Amino acid sequence: MCLLLIDAKEGVTEQDTKVAGEAHEAGKGIIIVVNKWDEIEKDDHTMEKFKKDVYNKLSYISYAPIVFISALTGQRVNKLFGIINEVAENNSKRVSTGMLNQVIDEAIAIVQPPTDKGKRLKILYVTQASTKPPTFIIFVNNKDIFHFSYERYLVNHIRKEFGMTGTPIRVIVREKAEK
């Protein structure tokens, strides 16, 4: 687990982006904790503006929840423990192959796989290889056609369906010849 502590007065620093990158690459569950929230002048949109700014600067961890706390006053500190447990559980979540393929079939029905020079990408099946972070192997007919944007779409669909907040999801694409 990584609790990325951001000073509300400073915002996201260069060091924060480095730590976030290290945690993401290591496959750790991540929670963004904004401290000193009591020292910020607020209006109706302050929290949303701050979240938007954080996700703009740390777009590669947009799956990480953000918690606004004050260590000085104790505001929302106890809320952290529930989120820590949830993210740890998501990071070690295992999904059955049957359920996974059902969700992927639904995703394919919504957005068709890409084509290249008349050849359509076919996703044959998907299975989970490991946890911490959840890692999925997608077997396809031609991995050269499998575009990263479609991979991102499938990852977002998996994340939404199985509630994998706070954890990176890894995808390995393998080519398998059809019989």
Side-chain angles (χ1 to χ4, degrees), residues 130-142:
S130 65
T131 61
K132 295 185 182 180
T135 303
F136 301 97
I137 301 175
I138 301 177
F139 290 91
V140 298
N141 63 332
N142 184 344

Side-chain angles (χ1 to χ4, degrees), residues 80-92:
L80 263 178
F81 297 105
I83 296 170
I84 290 169
N85 290 336
E86 179 189 349
V87 170
E89 195 176 293
N90 290 342
N91 195 251
S92 57

Side-chain angles (χ1 to χ4, degrees), residues 17-178:
T17 60
K18 287 177 184 174
V19 172
E22 290 287 326
H24 175 75
E25 289 302 314
K28 303 297 180 193
I30 302 171
I31 300 169
I32 301 167
V33 182
V34 180
N35 190 26
K36 299 183 183 177
W37 194 242
D38 57 316
E39 296 180 20
I40 299 295
E41 273 191 47
K42 298 170 207 56
D43 62 29
D44 293 348
H45 308 290
T46 308
M47 200 177 273
E48 284 308 311
K49 285 179 189 170
F50 201 93
K51 278 184 179 181
K52 196 174 186 179
D53 184 54
V54 168
Y55 285 140
N56 278 340
K57 292 176 179 163
L58 302 172
S59 59
Y60 51 93
I61 61 165
S62 61
Y63 54 81
I66 299 177
V67 183
F68 295 89
I69 69 163
S70 169
L72 183 68
T73 66
Q75 181 186 28
R76 290 195 276 283
V77 172
N78 53 354
K79 187 179 179 183
L80 263 178
F81 297 105
I83 296 170
I84 290 169
N85 290 336
E86 179 189 349
V87 170
E89 195 176 293
N90 290 342
N91 195 251
S92 57
K93 188 175 275 186
R94 191 161 276 289
V95 180
S96 75
T97 300
M99 283 181 64
L100 189 57
N101 281 289
Q102 189 177 346
V103 165
I104 294 299
D105 288 344
E106 289 169 10
I108 291 169
I110 296 166
V111 177
Q112 289 292 309
T115 58
D116 185 39
K117 297 177 186 135
K119 288 189 172 199
R120 178 163 297 281
L121 173 71
K122 289 182 188 163
I123 295 176
L124 306 172
Y125 68 96
V126 183
T127 188
Q128 186 170 0
S130 65
T131 61
K132 295 185 182 180
T135 303
F136 301 97
I137 301 175
I138 301 177
F139 290 91
V140 298
N141 63 332
N142 184 344
K143 69 182 198 177
D144 295 334
I145 304 173
F146 195 88
H147 197 265
F148 74 89
S149 61
Y150 198 70
E151 177 183 325
R152 195 170 343 138
Y153 163 72
L154 292 177
V155 164
N156 288 337
H157 200 77
I158 289 169
R159 185 180 305 286
K160 188 179 94 186
E161 288 297 315
F162 298 111
M164 295 192 170
T165 303
T167 185
I169 295 175
R170 303 266 190 268
V171 171
I172 300 166
V173 180
R174 293 218 177 118
E175 209 168 287
K176 185 172 183 174
E178 291 186 80

